[in-house]
Each structure stands twice: as C-alpha cells, then as structure tokens.
Amino acid sequence: GVSLYGYSQIFKKPEIWVGYKNTIIYSFFGTIFNLTVTLPAAYVLSRKDFAARGIVMKLFVITMYFNGGMIPTYMLIKDVGLLDSPLVMIIFGAVNVYNLIITRTFFETSIPDELYEAAALDGCSHFRYFSTVVLPLSKAVIAVIMLYYLVGHWNDFFSALLYLNSDKYQPLQIVLRNILLLNQAMAGTTGASAGAGAGAYAQQFADQIKFGVIIVSTVPVLCVYPFIQKYFEKGIMIGAVKG
C-alpha cells in the first residue's frame, strides 16, 4: 500500500528546514555570482580584437585538466578565511570553464559583429553594448548556464563536507546524507538483533527513507525547469551542426 513513512521521518527533523534555507541561499546567490563572472569573461574572450584572448583561453582550459588538489585547495580556503564560512559555498568555483566555453561560443556565432560596429558608430562603449545589446539577445545561453550552475550548487555536498563544520551552515544535501546514513545504521542494527524477518521489515522502512531523500532533493529543481524550458531547448543546441 501507500506509505508516507519515509517523508514523515525526513520532515520531522528540524534541521531539514535549515538545510533547505541554506541551499536556497547558496544556490540563488551562488548562481548570480557565477553569471556575473562568467558572462563578462565570455564576452571579452569572444572579441576578436582582444589580442591576448588565445593565451587567456589556454590558461582557462588548463584548469579543466589540472587542479591544485584537495589538500592545497583546503589550505588556500583556510588561508583566505573562508573555512567554515557560508561564503565558501557561494564564491568557490566562481567560473566553470565548460560553461565559459559554451557562452563564448554563443557570443561568437550568434551575435553579429556588425551590431557592435553600428553601436560603436553611435558612441556605444563595450560595457553599454554588452549590457543593452548582447545580454538581451543571449537569453537562451543564459538560461542554459544558469540551470547548470543552479543544479551544481543545489547538488554540491562535497564542498560543504570539506569546508563547513557548523551545523547551522550545512546545506540540504549534507542533512539528507546524515539522515540516510543514520537510518541505514539503525536498520542494520535492528536486523542484526531481531532476526531476519524484523531485519527485512526495518530495511523496508530504511528504503522508504532513502527513496524519499531522492524526491526531497530533486523536486525543487524540477519545479524550476518548466519556467526556463523554452530557453533551455534553444540554448542546448549551441555548437550543434547546422545545415
């Protein structure tokens, strides 16, 4: 039959609401910060008159294959004072190079150079051209990378696991992970002490909580998708072969 046991066990934990609040804050402000950094960087790298764009792009691409490693990154986070700070969930990983390449490609292929030439004749600067011409014409790619960044922030638990110690800063994914591990341990203990029949019964309840965790963690993102679906379907074709 239908059972809501898993959801009742999840939502009776007061920390679940703290996790929701923290994750919404991290996802909202983190995505805005990502877009604020990625979009101007992609525009600059898309300009053919930017002499150093080849060198700068290579420096970005290198970070896709090589990084500082877990321990040096942890030491860096600690040295700059972001350890156990909610800011680390917002500004850490400000630019995703893959999203940067997607956005740069869109600016190069979908925004005609003639638009800038016409705007420059009217005295338009790069800043005004970017804000009043490029951004309104780039809703598709903005929707795509916004969704990528949003999902990345929403699902990020490894950063919180490494850099956050206080329970009041923990995101939803860490809270759900703790609930899941606790119930799995309780199911194993009950099964070992009460026999096979009771163990199977306890495991059934643990599975309900496990599947409930999946729904609780994914439904909010699924609710966002319909509002940007039309832009996402258009933007996801960026770079595809066109006849």
Side-chain angles (χ1 to χ4, degrees):
V2 177
S3 174
L4 300 178
Y5 172 80
Y7 297 107
S8 66
Q9 292 299 306
I10 293 172
F11 286 109
K12 79 176 184 179
K13 304 282 187 181
E15 57 266 27
I16 194 75
W17 305 112
V18 177
Y20 258 122
K21 181 194 71 173
N22 290 336
T23 298
I24 291 173
I25 292 174
Y26 299 154
S27 300
F28 178 77
F29 289 104
T31 302
I32 290 178
F33 184 72
N34 293 140
L35 294 176
T36 303
V37 176
T38 302
L39 292 175
Y43 170 74
V44 172
L45 292 173
S46 70
R47 300 301 305 170
K48 295 181 176 60
D49 52 351
F50 177 47
R53 73 170 189 156
I55 298 175
V56 175
M57 196 64 223
K58 287 182 175 63
L59 294 176
F60 274 111
V61 172
I62 287 174
T63 64
M64 298 180 68
Y65 301 97
F66 307 98
N67 58 53
M70 183 186 301
I71 295 177
T73 303
Y74 181 88
M75 295 174 64
L76 174 64
I77 295 296
K78 182 179 179 180
D79 290 342
V80 298
L82 291 178
L83 194 63
D84 199 27
S85 169
L87 287 177
V88 72
M89 300 296 293
I90 296 176
I91 67 176
F92 182 66
V95 175
N96 182 288
V97 179
Y98 177 75
N99 294 339
L100 177 68
I101 293 174
I102 290 178
T103 311
R104 187 205 64 172
T105 303
F106 180 87
F107 289 158
E108 287 181 341
T109 59
S110 301
I111 307 296
D113 293 335
E114 290 77 10
L115 283 178
Y116 175 71
E117 294 174 1
L121 288 175
D122 293 331
C124 189
S125 65
H126 276 291
F127 293 101
R128 186 172 181 181
Y129 172 71
F130 173 71
S131 60
T132 60
V133 178
V134 175
L135 290 184
L137 295 176
S138 307
K139 294 179 181 178
V141 72
I142 293 175
V144 171
I145 65 170
M146 182 183 72
L147 185 62
Y148 287 166
Y149 278 129
L150 179 65
V151 173
H153 282 289
W154 188 271
N155 292 333
D156 185 17
F157 81 97
F158 193 65
S159 297
L161 199 62
L162 289 178
Y163 309 124
L164 295 181
N165 300 320
S166 302
D167 292 338
K168 62 181 179 180
Y169 297 142
Q170 297 295 346
L172 177 67
Q173 304 301 332
I174 293 293
V175 175
L176 294 177
R177 173 181 176 272
N178 294 338
I179 294 174
L180 185 60
L181 293 177
L182 177 62
N183 282 273
Q184 289 289 355
M186 291 178 61
T189 303
T190 303
S193 60
Y201 195 64
Q203 184 61 43
Q204 181 181 4
F205 284 125
D207 289 340
Q208 291 185 35
I209 295 175
K210 177 172 65 176
F211 299 137
V213 163
I214 296 174
I215 299 300
V216 169
S217 62
T218 56
V219 162
V221 176
L222 294 177
C223 293
V224 173
Y225 178 76
F227 295 99
I228 60 176
Q229 181 180 3
K230 62 179 181 179
Y231 299 113
F232 185 81
E233 291 177 348
K234 178 181 178 181
I236 201 64
M237 297 302 294
I238 297 170
V241 176
K242 300 175 177 62

